[in-house]
Amino acid sequence: MQPLIPATRDVVLIGGGHAHALVLRRWGMRPLPGARLTLINPHPTAPYSGMLPGHIAGHYDRAALEIDLVRLARHAGARLILGRAEGIDRAARTVHVPGRPPVAYDVASIDIGITTEMPELEGFAAHGAPAKPMDDFAARWGAFTALAARGEVAAQVVVLGSGIAGVELALAAAHRLRQVGITDPQVTIVERAPEALPNIGKGARSALLRHLAEARVTLITDAVAKTATAEGLRLADGRLIPAAFQLGAAGARPQGWLADTGLELHEGYVSVGPTLQSLTDPAIFAVGDCAHLSHAPRPKAGVFAVREAPVLYHNLRAALGAGDLRPYRPQRDYLKLVSTGFRGAVADKAGLRLGGRWLWRWKDRIDRKFMRKFHDLPAMPRPPLPREVAAGVAEELADGKPLCGGCGAKVGPGALFAALAGLPGPQRADTLSGPGDDAAVLTHGDGVQVITTDHLRAFTEDPWLMAQITAIHALGDIWAMGAAPQAALAQITLPRLSPDLQARTLAEIMAAAESVFRAAGADLVGGHTSVGSELTLGFTLTGLAPRATAKGGARPGDLLILTKPLGTGTILAAEMARAAPGRAVAACFASQSRPLSADAAILAPEAHAMTDVTGFGLAGHLFEILDASACAAKLDLAQIPFIEGAADLAGRGHRSTLYPANRRAATRMAVPDGPEPDLLFDPQTAGGLLAAVPGPRAQALCAALRDAGAHAAVIGEVTEGFPWIDVT
């Protein structure tokens, strides 16, 4: 058997720009053994700039131009940190990301693009929309066009800047507004210089100015913007240009935090040499618009980022000890394809000009071919089975799906209950409950102490996020019993790592866990570590309460409240198969990362019965309440909340490893077919609380939960009868 190769070096990619996206794609096909890869980006997707004008014009939906960084990170075996880098400590070799401990690196690369935010323009931060970064801009434009189409806002757009980007976006905006039924949109370009389109050939410039005139886009030059207001853009000469949408496409500038890194900069951009390494620090690379090619200065254009990618991939490996560095030699000129809004384009290179619809079709083919690199990631073949294996092995692996992490990796309820059935009841007088409740209950002074343990196989490459979610998940049993968390012990199995990476990983895990426990009022007092084949985290916890809120006690007439949406198991299973949209995964992590302390404080004083919804799914944990209370229940499927994207993934056949066992165990149910009913059996990691509360109090409790940030809903009622669940 080949030995497990330990990770020994950390490579951190800061930003999800085009070059980094291409590096991730190559890395997935040919990783460097021993290197641990991390990507830091504020959003789970990154837009492709070449298709943004087409999106603004309505030719592409948003999915067409988005690179899904969650899928790409899974393909590359990288961890994705959803956060915005705001600094680098080069002495400590760490990257600062607000809200979490510093992220350590041995080699780092920066590809964060530029911004068209305009801090010098009064009011722009409140009333303007910078074209870059593109994620927020695309979302705001979509909302504006919807409002304009309904007549709720005026179809008035001001574009600040008459460079190629400003003209292209103005033409796209005018076309889109006409497409949604507005016959005479008012689109105005404001330029402080005496002439528009300064960095393009004369022929292409003349053609684009003609297109502006034909689209009835107003061009105002020699105009200085003074103030952005809710009514529009006020110029220095006192004129007001009415606008409901103010788009910043001028004054492209580097991200401000680069100035504090101590790296050599040129006009705020990181100066790099032929190998794309910083002139100051060879451990840091920079590419794309945020970099200045000191050996061969070039304008800011995506074509250079794309062509830097193979060199960056090679040189990152070389910086980690795999080969020699290679120089990047940029082309002297490049073809500029400028779309004109109506599925036409103008081309400019070396002063020559071409134009027409055929050129747009050519551009469209180029752009779609580029995006197919990310939408159709190459499948990596599974290692073949040995020639001879024991009977049953092939059948167990027939579906080809990876084993889920989190609660999806737990033993099914049938096998677990059969094992627990052989255990004797409590033998000690101070042990008040045996196997089967959320936590063991012990006498403690005038009240009780509860004790529980839980652990999870990792479902994310990010140990900090995994520790945070695992801590919240383990606390769920304490909160479900209505207890105040008291103390925690950690059980950590690390994959094989070098001593330096062990220390970094443990520091992240302990920082995340300690933060969760401290906020919950508990102390993290120690634990145990070991080394294994994969990351596994667990916590043993105690809590104190005057009395324990058990699963038994639900009464006919009680209403059922659920405090988190369902779908984590399905989303995580689909993510492992590289099929879950990045936004769905981000929503899943956000739901899992919300603690239940406020939920428990609201529900415990009034709940007749309560549990947390985890591995056995909503149906399985509701049956625990019903069996303990000798009652039945009715669920209203329309009222049950689901995480965005979960039902769609379930409808496409994605299932957690534990789903079949959960479904087989829930035999006493009348449930319709469909993806939403299937999610009732979906194992939930760090799921919500499920409480049976007095009917007259349910709506007030639910309102209080929503005020506290819970995605809470009244999902059904407890009824008389043999334990049974009707779903309608």
Side-chain angles (χ1 to χ4, degrees):
M1 180 180 293
Q2 188 175 16
L4 186 67
I5 297 175
T8 60
R9 295 291 185 272
D10 273 318
V11 187
V12 176
L13 306 181
I14 305 170
H18 302 349
H20 280 177
L22 288 165
V23 166
L24 286 164
R25 187 179 184 276
R26 283 175 175 255
W27 198 280
M29 293 184 285
R30 187 177 170 229
L32 179 63
R36 189 169 66 171
L37 189 61
T38 295
L39 172 66
I40 302 172
N41 197 69
H43 304 287
T45 61
Y48 170 48
S49 58
M51 296 173 75
L52 178 65
H55 171 66
I56 299 305
H59 305 320
Y60 306 116
D61 62 22
R62 191 165 175 183
L65 74 152
E66 285 190 327
I67 299 170
D68 194 319
L69 297 177
V70 174
R71 291 183 64 235
L72 195 55
R74 171 66 69 175
H75 165 76
R79 70 165 165 173
L80 173 61
I81 294 175
L82 293 176
R84 189 180 298 278
E86 293 188 352
I88 296 175
D89 183 338
R90 293 194 297 110
R93 290 200 174 187
T94 58
V95 181
H96 174 58
V97 182
R100 60 179 296 147
V103 180
Y105 69 86
D106 295 290
V107 175
S109 179
I110 309 172
D111 186 12
I112 56 175
I114 54 179
T115 177
T116 53
E117 294 174 352
M118 307 178 75
E120 75 284 354
L121 178 57
E122 181 183 349
F124 185 78
H127 303 290
K132 291 188 177 183
M134 290 182 285
D135 305 82
D136 296 333
F137 168 65
R140 292 173 69 174
W141 174 254
F144 167 73
T145 54
L147 293 171
R150 296 196 297 267
E152 297 179 29
V153 298
Q156 299 168 329
V157 177
V158 165
V159 179
L160 291 110
S162 69
I164 292 175
V167 168
E168 199 171 23
L169 291 173
L171 289 168
H175 178 80
R176 178 58 178 160
L177 291 172
R178 289 190 174 93
Q179 289 296 107
V180 297
I182 298 163
T183 57
D184 190 24
Q186 298 176 38
V187 180
T188 304
I189 300 174
V190 174
E191 171 59 54
R192 68 166 52 236
E195 187 176 73
L197 293 163
N199 299 315
I200 198 169
K202 289 183 178 180
R205 180 176 181 275
S206 296
L208 289 170
L209 289 176
R210 186 178 68 252
H211 283 298
L212 288 175
E214 291 172 353
R216 298 195 295 278
V217 173
T218 302
L219 174 62
I220 303 175
T221 57
D222 252 337
V224 177
K226 182 180 180 182
T227 309
T229 71
E231 291 73 34
L233 182 68
R234 179 74 65 181
L235 303 182
D237 62 11
R239 283 180 290 173
L240 176 70
I241 312 299
F245 193 90
Q246 300 181 55
L247 193 168
R253 68 191 68 224
Q255 304 282 354
W257 63 266
L258 293 173
D260 299 322
T261 60
L263 298 171
E264 181 178 330
L265 306 178
H266 174 79
E267 298 179 351
Y269 302 98
V270 180
S271 294
V272 299
T275 59
L276 303 177
Q277 291 168 292
S278 161
L279 298 181
T280 308
D281 188 341
I284 296 178
F285 294 75
V287 289
D289 287 350
C290 70
H292 168 67
L293 300 173
S294 64
H295 61 294
R298 294 292 186 273
K300 304 301 179 187
V303 64
F304 298 115
V306 169
R307 297 191 178 187
E308 286 167 343
V311 177
L312 177 64
Y313 167 77
H314 176 89
N315 287 352
L316 287 173
R317 295 169 64 94
L320 296 166
D324 298 323
L325 294 165
R326 177 186 301 171
Y328 168 64
R329 298 183 179 91
Q331 64 206 78
R332 290 188 178 277
D333 195 9
Y334 66 99
L335 177 65
K336 306 174 188 70
L337 290 172
V338 185
S339 59
T340 53
F342 58 90
R343 296 183 190 269
V346 171
D348 176 63
K349 185 177 182 181
L352 300 175
R353 179 186 71 81
L354 294 170
R357 292 182 180 272
W358 71 271
L359 197 58
W360 190 90
R361 291 194 292 271
W362 183 35
K363 180 181 186 303
D364 177 62
R365 285 196 295 271
I366 293 170
D367 290 338
R368 290 184 185 274
K369 180 180 179 182
F370 178 77
M371 289 304 294
R372 279 197 295 273
K373 294 176 183 288
F374 306 106
H375 291 165
D376 303 321
L377 292 170
M380 296 296 103
R382 293 171 56 198
L385 286 175
R387 188 171 60 86
E388 295 179 340
V389 295
V393 169
E395 289 78 5
E396 285 294 317
L397 299 175
D399 62 8
K401 295 179 179 178
L403 180 66
C404 287
C407 278
K410 290 180 179 288
V411 173
L416 181 61
F417 293 156
L420 292 177
L423 294 177
Q427 306 298 302
R428 295 174 54 93
D430 55 0
T431 302
L432 304 181
S433 71
D437 224 318
D438 285 315
V441 182
L442 313 175
T443 59
H444 187 275
D446 293 332
V448 296
Q449 182 182 53
V450 297
I451 182 170
T452 186
T453 190
D454 215 324
H455 75 277
L456 302 172
R457 287 181 62 245
F459 49 78
T460 171
E461 297 290 336
D462 185 355
W464 182 87
L465 177 64
M466 190 66 216
Q468 182 185 53
I469 293 173
T470 304
I472 290 169
H473 175 81
L475 281 165
D477 288 339
I478 301 294
W479 285 319
M481 301 292 283
Q486 180 189 22
L489 291 168
Q491 299 93 44
I492 303 169
T493 300
L494 292 177
R496 192 172 180 188
L497 305 168
S498 69
D500 283 348
L501 267 63
Q502 281 185 349
R504 294 173 186 176
T505 305
L506 282 172
E508 290 194 47
I509 290 169
M510 298 305 283
E514 198 274 333
S515 176
V516 170
F517 292 133
R518 183 176 67 250
D523 292 324
L524 180 56
V525 295
H528 178 77
T529 61
S530 62
V531 174
S533 60
E534 61 184 354
L535 178 64
T536 304
L537 301 178
F539 298 99
T540 298
L541 297 123
T542 61
L544 299 173
R547 65 174 183 85
T549 305
K551 294 175 182 175
R555 308 168 190 175
D558 284 350
L559 295 184
L560 296 167
I561 291 178
L562 179 66
T563 70
K564 280 190 181 183
L566 304 179
T568 65
T570 291
I571 291 173
L572 294 177
E575 193 273 326
M576 292 184 72
R578 300 187 302 180
R583 285 195 180 86
V585 177
C588 174
F589 288 158
S591 178
Q592 292 176 311
S593 298
R594 192 182 70 79
L596 299 174
S597 51
D599 305 18
I602 292 167
L603 290 172
E606 302 195 50
H608 292 151
M610 188 159 68
T611 188
D612 58 334
V613 179
T614 53
F616 300 153
L618 176 64
H621 289 289
L622 177 55
F623 269 122
E624 291 179 333
I625 288 178
L626 300 179
D627 288 337
S629 305
C631 294
K634 292 181 180 179
L635 294 179
D636 184 347
L637 193 62
Q639 299 304 314
I640 297 174
F642 301 102
I643 299 173
E644 178 187 359
D648 178 64
L649 291 169
R652 288 193 271 145
H654 292 285
R655 299 284 185 272
S656 174
T657 307
L658 191 56
Y659 169 87
N662 284 352
R663 185 84 193 227
R664 286 194 300 269
T667 56
R668 295 166 287 153
M669 288 186 71
V671 57
D673 293 327
E676 287 87 359
D678 284 347
L679 290 173
L680 303 182
F681 311 100
D682 189 48
Q684 305 301 292
T685 302
L689 294 179
L690 175 65
V693 303
R697 293 287 300 143
Q699 294 302 332
L701 290 170
C702 211
L705 287 163
R706 294 192 193 107
D707 289 343
H711 195 152
V714 176
I715 63 168
E717 63 177 322
V718 179
T719 60
E720 293 183 352
F722 176 78
W724 178 272
I725 300 174
D726 277 316
V727 182
T728 58

